[in-house]
Every structure is written in C-alpha cells, then in structure tokens.
Amino acid sequence: MRLPSLCCAVLTLLISTTTFAQDLMPMAGGNMGNPMPKNVEDNRQVVLLTAEERSIVAAEMRQMLASVQGVTDGLSRGDMQAVIAAASESGMAMMQNLPSPIRMKFPAPFSQMGLATHRAFDQIAQEAKTIKDPAPVLKQLSGGIQNCIACHATYRFASPKSNNGM
Ligand code: HEC
C-alpha cells in the first residue's frame, strides 16, 4: 500500500469510529432514550391456555419463524431442497400433531388463520419441487406471513388463573 492510500485508510477509520462514538454519546450523557408511554393497552382478544399448553403452541410458533428463515435462506442460495425441508417443518402435519385439547380452545377464526398458514408452508414445499425461480415462492411466503401478522394483531394467550398473559 502506498503512503497516501494508507493515510486515507487511517483517516477513514478515524472518522468512522468517531461517528460511532458520537452515536453512543447521548447514552453516556444520561439520556437513556424515550420514557415509557402512558396508558399502554393490549386490546387483543385472549385465548386462554394453561402454561403447558402455551409452551407447546409457542414452540410451534418459534418453529414457524425458523421455517420462514429457512425458506428465505434456501431461496437466497437457490437451494430448493433446503426450501422444501424448511417449509415442510411447518406444514399441515404440525397442526395435526397439536394435541386436540389445545385445538379445541382456539376460536374458529384463530383456527382458520392457523390452517391457512400451515397450508401455505405445504404449498411452498410443493411449489419449490418444480419451480426454479424464487419470486413466486417468495410471493407465497409473503402471503403466508400475512396470516402471522393478522393473527398476532388479533390474539394473545393468557393463562386461566392469572389472565395477564403470563
Ligand atoms: C392463528 C394465530 C397465529 C398465527 C397464524 C401465527 N401466530 Fe405466532 N403467535 C400467536 C399468538 C396468539 C402468540 C402469543 C402472543 C402473545 O400472547 O403475546 C404468538 C407468538 C409467536 C411467537 C413467540 C413465541 C414464544 O416463544 O413466545 C413467535 C416467534 C411467532 N408467534 C411466530 C409466528 C410466525 C413466524 C407465524 C407465521 C408463519 C405465526 N407466528 C403465525 C398466534 C399466531
């Protein structure tokens, strides 16, 4: 590396670390960000589940998030086998494995959104078997994620005893 370009590199490094340090300054100055807003309300409808039931459903939710990641990662690498594997983890089989006492506690619209989501994952797996272009699969995934968003906006879980979501 010649001297001028070395100087340039050192200067750039200096400037970027200084900018970074400035970003952290407000914290150091005692300003810890925004205060808590007042009157925070969660108006979502409650689905009553015991702690155990909730654990089971939450584990499935985390699996679905992992499937979303696996599908997008597979698509980004053009690895359709990975897409199929990731999507299949969250297909209809997942719903069928859910113990029926839990399923019976779900309100009908909740079950329908769940069904649509699992079906979307199966369709993604099916589509990925024949399609090489990631765009239509991404479109399907995006449609499936709309169910996640809609259901999360409408429902929350709470335990019958405390009723506070814990
Ligand atoms: C049929 C309704 C429904 C659908 C569809 C749904 N979720 Fe959820 N999910 C919930 C509810 C309710 C909670 C708990 C929210 C609460 O109590 O605050 C939750 C919680 C979660 C959590 C947190 C789990 C934990 O460990 O606490 C993750 C992650 C999650 N969902 C991911 C997803 C993803 C990804 C999708 C779509 C692929 C999805 N969910 C679709 C209803 C749904």
Side-chain angles (χ1 to χ4, degrees), residues 42 44 47 54 57-59 61-62 64-66 68 109-115 117 121 144-145 147-149 151-152 155-158 165:
D42 187 343
R44 294 177 298 171
V47 178
R54 186 190 178 141
V57 180
M61 292 289 165
R62 296 193 296 274
M64 287 201 287
L65 184 55
V68 169
F110 185 100
S111 298
Q112 277 152 18
M113 279 188 270
L115 187 79
T117 313
F121 278 116
I145 294 175
N147 291 307
C148 322
I149 295 167
C151 193
H152 291 161
Y155 295 101
R156 68 185 173 92
F157 297 133

Side-chain angles (χ1 to χ4, degrees), residues 47-83:
V47 178
L48 291 176
L49 297 180
T50 66
E52 290 84 2
E53 290 167 342
R54 186 190 178 141
S55 298
I56 294 174
V57 180
E60 293 206 338
M61 292 289 165
R62 296 193 296 274
Q63 174 55 59
M64 287 201 287
L65 184 55
S67 289
V68 169
Q69 192 276 332
V71 168
T72 51
D73 180 59
L75 288 176
S76 74
R77 293 181 293 105
D79 182 348
M80 289 309 193
Q81 283 310 316
V83 172

